[in-house]
Amino acid sequence: MDPEDLDRDPHVQFERWFADARAGGVAAPEQMALATASRAGIPSVRMVLLKGHDERGFVFFTNRSSRKGRELGENPHGAGAFYWEPPHRQVRIEGKVETISEDESSAYFQTRPRESRVSAWASPQSEPLRSRDELERLVADAERRFVDVEDVPLPPFWGGYRIVPSVIEFWQGQASRLHDRVRYERDGGSWHRERLAP
């Protein structure tokens, strides 16, 4: 893989590789490892689902009072990683993270199954629970709250984020372990490409 083989726009290149992963039967190619860090720089990582991508960045949704939401409130930078096997490819992204509008969040929220919308209201994400029973009671309480509500609304503490990348790296694994790596780095309004050692 040569840098010149890839599109000049890393967003276009990502879409190509993402489509290849889907077409190749990768289970849940939208799974993304998301890394955030506290104000003190202590990192944490977890899996989220990519729910949108365009030239503005990579979108995911979560409870804003969760650990990742709190960390992004303190330190609005993040990194994401996708790994697809086959075709033995990885994409890494790094950049600032911004909240998306309430209208965008609400539009996505309404596409979720009703049970998932109720669960978003019920779960105090990342907070300690005494038992599974406590969680199930919270869900039952939320079900009663919305029993006559057809369109469960967006919770005020839930919504989307967009990673606005300054770096996007494409990695193609090789049997020799002399893997191909190409990094795109934003340089003003354009992208600079370069090959990296494996």
Side-chain angles (χ1 to χ4, degrees), residues 115-174:
E115 296 80 8
S116 297
R117 285 180 273 154
V118 170
S119 294
W121 279 94
S123 175
Q125 193 174 46
S126 302
E127 295 301 317
L129 292 171
R130 289 184 296 275
S131 66
R132 175 77 186 188
D133 288 343
E134 181 182 3
L135 177 61
E136 291 174 1
R137 279 195 301 274
L138 290 169
V139 172
D141 290 345
E143 283 284 7
R144 281 191 293 275
R145 177 179 178 181
F146 295 111
V147 67
D148 294 322
V149 178
E150 184 176 336
D151 292 325
V152 177
L154 176 74
F157 50 81
W158 198 96
Y161 292 89
R162 178 180 289 108
I163 303 175
V164 180
S166 54
V167 174
I168 304 179
E169 181 186 318
F170 294 85
W171 177 96
Q172 176 67 67
Q174 301 293 347

Side-chain angles (χ1 to χ4, degrees), residues 61-71 73 98-102 105 125 154 156-161:
F61 293 85
T62 192
N63 183 317
R64 297 196 197 281
S65 61
S66 65
R67 179 176 176 179
K68 58 185 167 299
R70 293 193 306 268
E71 289 179 346
E98 61 186 25
T99 57
I100 68 171
S101 72
E102 185 172 341
S105 293
Q125 193 174 46
L154 176 74
F157 50 81
W158 198 96
Y161 292 89

Side-chain angles (χ1 to χ4, degrees), residues 13-57:
Q13 188 60 48
F14 178 84
E15 285 296 340
R16 288 178 182 167
W17 275 24
F18 190 69
D20 287 349
R22 274 198 171 138
V26 172
E30 68 276 14
Q31 290 182 2
M32 176 176 71
L34 171 70
T36 57
S38 67
R39 182 180 291 122
I42 299 169
S44 62
V45 66
R46 78 288 291 155
M47 302 304 292
V48 298
L49 297 179
L50 178 71
K51 291 298 183 179
H53 168 261
D54 58 24
E55 68 282 353
R56 296 173 297 167

